[in-house]
Amino acid sequence: MALLEQINNLLWGLPLILLLMGTHIYFTCKLRFPQRNLFRAIRLSLFPAEDTPNLSPFSALSTTLAATLGTGNIIGVSTAVALGGPGAIFWCWITGILGMATAYGECYLSVLHRQRNKDGLYVGGPMYVLKNGLHNKNLGSLYALCTLAAAFGVGCTTQANSVTRATSLSFGISPHPVGFALAVVTGAVIIGGIRSIGRLCERTVPAITFLYLFGCVLLLFLYRHQLVTAVVWILKDAFSFTSLAGGAAGAGLQHAMRYGIARGLFTNEAGIGTSAIAAAASHAEDPKVQAYVSMTAVFWDTVVMCLLTGLVVVCNMLYDPASTVGAAETDLTAAAFSHLPYVGDAFLTISLCAFAVTTLIGWSYFGEKAAEYLGGNRSVPLYKLFYIIMIYLGAIIPMRLVWECTDLINGVMALPNLLALWALRKEIKS
């Protein structure tokens, strides 16, 4: 554990953060600020689906959001504020704004270098970009192996454990029946293949996202007298070299940037390349179309959801300071949502569970494509069986080791993906 923590502190330290932010800034400038076409990209995502075996652009977007929207948007923001101060919200938001350009580049290359499998379906992602674009099968295999490991980590065991922990604390339910139910429900969806996953995601992800955002808006209305003060506090703390609040809440410019950027990168995964796997499954023939649609996932994930969650947390620090005194890093969001009329803690628990379930389903597809890349179609049924078993095991085992391994895997995944982005940057058109 100590060795893993030291490696992760080094890997996720300043060099990788600067590399990721530098990539975001470069592609924002190179592509002449593709974020300016955000509203057109949202309209493109709403085009009706065609009758093809591949995903519609909206289904591909929903699958990406299913995997990225989750505990990072809720718990990760709480941790960022606790460790980096209110200013971390600003840097998390900036990461989302700039990260849209990197997500555009990843998805563009993925559609450009995808291929058809034996079933005639499109498959792609950074592993195919590395193989077909850079002509390096070894790096492609490394990325696929890391994706497979991450699917069992961040996409499977950690999400299942988050559900059982939340239901146990809120409702006193044993982890065993919850883990079994999660395995059955998720298994029923993923066995049906990508069309089954896409249909479920495009129906459920918008609904649960709207429900969570509605809860945030209600809380911001409750905190309306603290809202302006909270925004000013966030902006001041984002550029302050000294602590504004003392203690855990406000650690100056360095800590605000460190935790805000790191949490933003963790939740939207721009630079890690997983969203490109879903983008490649779209029936869109023009790489620009799917790249713009997939770019909006970062907008909804970080620019909207993380911002609203952060505002709720900081407003509550002003509205009810006593509720945050002595609170654990992950409990600031829970303290804020406890003021939601009538439903309180139950609303946050249900939201966490719903997002965790969709993440289980979305990440199952990412891992499936990695397994297919490494072992062909014959390896997919075995992967699905093992994934379903790991959901149950993840619900009942301690998770600290898994989280450390997952952080390590994510860091390793980013390196070959960023290499492909920079090496093939001239192929990306806006």
Side-chain angles (χ1 to χ4, degrees):
M1 281 300 304
L3 178 62
L4 276 174
E5 288 174 356
Q6 290 178 7
I7 294 174
N8 282 332
N9 287 335
L10 177 64
L11 184 62
W12 283 101
L14 192 60
L16 184 57
I17 289 177
L18 289 177
L19 176 60
L20 284 164
M21 282 301 291
T23 302
H24 292 348
I25 294 170
Y26 172 80
F27 281 101
T28 296
C29 297
K30 178 190 182 301
L31 299 173
R32 293 176 293 177
F33 202 71
Q35 296 89 332
R36 73 187 188 278
N37 295 314
L38 175 64
F39 294 107
R40 188 175 72 175
I42 293 173
R43 288 199 302 272
L44 285 173
S45 72
L46 300 178
F47 279 175
E50 297 179 12
D51 187 19
T52 70
N54 291 288
L55 295 179
S56 69
F58 182 71
S59 292
L61 171 63
S62 297
T63 303
T64 299
L65 286 171
T68 57
L69 292 176
T71 54
N73 302 87
I74 301 173
I75 303 302
V77 171
S78 173
T79 306
V81 175
L83 298 176
I89 301 301
F90 172 82
W91 293 110
C92 180
W93 188 73
I94 289 296
T95 301
I97 291 288
L98 298 177
M100 285 192 282
T102 299
Y104 176 96
E106 292 171 343
C107 296
Y108 186 100
L109 289 176
S110 184
V111 174
L112 192 65
H113 293 287
R114 66 187 177 182
Q115 62 188 53
R116 290 186 184 271
N117 62 12
K118 293 181 179 179
D119 298 325
L121 300 176
Y122 284 126
V123 290
M127 52 274 203
Y128 290 93
V129 174
L130 289 163
K131 184 184 79 168
N132 299 331
L134 286 185
H135 308 290
N136 193 319
K137 292 183 179 180
N138 292 331
L139 279 178
S141 297
L142 172 63
Y143 184 90
L145 189 62
C146 289
T147 303
L148 194 61
F152 290 123
V154 67
C156 183
T157 53
T158 55
Q159 301 300 323
N161 192 264
S162 297
V163 172
T164 55
R165 184 175 182 273
T167 53
S168 177
L169 291 174
S170 297
F171 308 118
I173 304 175
S174 169
H176 292 277
V178 175
F180 182 77
L182 279 174
V184 171
V185 171
T186 306
V189 176
I190 67 176
I191 287 174
I194 183 56
R195 291 297 299 272
S196 175
I197 293 172
R199 284 195 298 268
L200 180 81
C201 290
E202 70 181 12
R203 293 170 184 170
T204 58
V205 171
I208 62 175
T209 302
F210 175 79
L211 181 64
Y212 177 76
L213 293 178
F214 181 70
C216 289
V217 171
L218 282 180
L219 282 171
L220 289 178
F221 178 76
L222 177 66
Y223 301 145
R224 60 190 180 279
H225 300 301
Q226 288 77 32
L227 185 57
V228 174
T229 305
V231 171
V232 172
W233 190 12
I234 289 170
L235 292 175
K236 284 185 177 180
D237 196 55
F239 298 97
S240 172
F241 287 93
T242 59
S243 174
L244 293 180
L253 177 63
Q254 181 178 353
H255 279 75
M257 291 185 67
R258 158 78 173 90
Y259 288 103
I261 292 172
R263 292 300 179 269
L265 295 172
F266 176 80
T267 183
N268 61 48
E269 299 177 13
I272 297 178
T274 49
S275 64
I277 299 175
S282 167
H283 63 63
E285 295 296 335
D286 188 347
K288 293 191 292 293
V289 171
Q290 188 57 50
Y292 271 122
V293 171
S294 297
M295 179 187 77
T296 63
V298 180
F299 170 76
W300 295 118
D301 180 274
T302 307
V303 179
V304 176
M305 284 198 64
C306 286
L307 176 62
L308 287 179
T309 302
L311 286 174
V312 165
V313 168
V314 177
C315 283
N316 182 63
M317 293 168 68
L318 297 167
Y319 178 83
D320 185 13
S323 67
T324 63
V325 175
E329 295 168 2
T330 58
D331 291 342
L332 292 180
T333 308
F337 273 85
S338 66
H339 294 290
L340 198 62
Y342 305 111
V343 290
D345 295 333
F347 178 88
L348 186 63
T349 299
I350 293 171
S351 296
L352 276 170
C353 292
F355 281 126
V357 169
T358 57
T359 301
L360 281 169
I361 294 169
W363 261 99
S364 73
Y365 177 71
F366 296 164
E368 177 185 333
K369 294 300 106 177
E372 182 180 327
Y373 180 90
L374 292 169
N377 287 344
R378 66 184 182 276
S379 65
V380 172
L382 182 62
Y383 159 78
K384 289 182 177 180
L385 175 62
F386 192 53
Y387 190 88
I388 294 168
I389 294 172
M390 285 300 295
I391 293 174
Y392 173 74
L393 294 178
I396 61 176
I397 62 175
M399 293 307 299
R400 187 183 173 201
L401 180 62
V402 174
W403 273 112
E404 290 295 335
C405 291
T406 298
D407 286 344
L408 176 62
I409 292 165
N410 281 343
V412 174
M413 286 174 67
L415 298 178
N417 180 59
L418 293 174
L419 171 64
L421 271 174
W422 282 96
L424 301 174
R425 62 189 183 278
K426 292 183 180 179
E427 295 184 7
I428 303 172
K429 310 296 182 183
S430 66

